[in-house]
Amino acid sequence: MQSGIVSAPSTFRVGGVQYVAFQTGKGGAFPLVAGVAGGATRKVPNLPRLVVLKIGGTVKFPAPPATTTLAWNPPAKIGTPEQIAAGKAHFGRYCQVCHGDSAIGNGFTPDLRVSATLTNADAWKSVILDGALKDRGMVSFARVLTPQDAEAIRAYVIERSNWTKANLSDTAAPMGR
């Protein structure tokens, strides 16, 4: 199917011909909960689509789009161990529900370990506090986080990115198109 199957199949008949339909893509709760343990899911491309198969049909899927492993080049670690611990606590309370354990994402939400904003504190704060990506679903957390809290979260995500590079093979790297 060139991607994960994310729904149960449904079967139906039209004009005496039977079909089976289901959705493909990736996402859901598993990558959010599994964190780095779910690294194998990064190899599966996210190709969201509705697939309808005709029983006895012979049409084949087109070639899947090319995917590449992103370069894993985290910024240098920042912050004290206390700041990283505070960032982890804030991340767990405010970020983990969407970005998953260890900032990995689920295929629909970004893998923060490779975010371009990690290298720029002002860009990071513009997303976290100023709502720079609100049109893409990332709300501002300015009502509950201070600039110091946002920087502590950035230190934690940078630590996670560096930990991944040091401890896991390239198979844990996210996929891009």
Side-chain angles (χ1 to χ4, degrees):
M1 292 294 108
Q2 303 171 344
S3 191
I5 297 173
V6 294
S7 72
S10 176
T11 184
F12 57 93
R13 286 181 182 249
V14 175
V17 178
Q18 187 171 3
Y19 297 86
V20 176
F22 52 89
Q23 292 178 309
T24 66
K26 71 181 221 181
F30 176 74
L32 295 176
V33 175
V36 294
T41 64
R42 310 261 177 271
K43 295 180 182 180
V44 178
N46 183 24
L47 300 176
R49 58 184 165 196
L50 173 64
V51 176
V52 180
L53 304 173
K54 175 181 169 183
I55 302 299
T58 60
V59 174
K60 302 211 184 301
F61 281 113
T67 60
T68 57
T69 301
L70 298 175
W72 202 274
N73 190 23
K77 292 181 182 181
I78 63 168
T80 65
E82 294 78 20
Q83 288 169 315
I84 293 169
K88 179 179 181 178
H90 291 308
F91 185 91
R93 181 164 188 189
Y94 299 109
C95 312
Q96 186 168 330
V97 70
C98 292
H99 294 284
D101 182 56
S102 300
I104 289 175
N106 69 356
F108 294 113
T109 57
D111 184 329
L112 297 180
R113 300 171 303 163
V114 293
S115 173
T117 62
L118 285 179
T119 60
N120 184 318
D122 291 333
W124 179 266
K125 288 175 188 169
S126 76
V127 172
I128 306 294
L129 300 177
D130 301 336
L133 296 178
K134 66 182 176 192
D135 293 340
R136 295 176 59 192
M138 175 62 194
V139 300
S140 166
F141 283 87
R143 291 182 55 201
V144 293
L145 294 172
T146 66
Q148 294 79 15
D149 297 337
E151 186 64 3
I153 294 169
R154 185 171 80 97
Y156 168 69
V157 174
I158 289 171
E159 187 278 329
R160 291 286 72 205
S161 186
N162 279 281
W163 184 93
T164 300
K165 183 175 183 177
N167 292 284
L168 299 178
S169 69
D170 288 340
T171 60
M175 301 299 281
R177 285 195 275 174

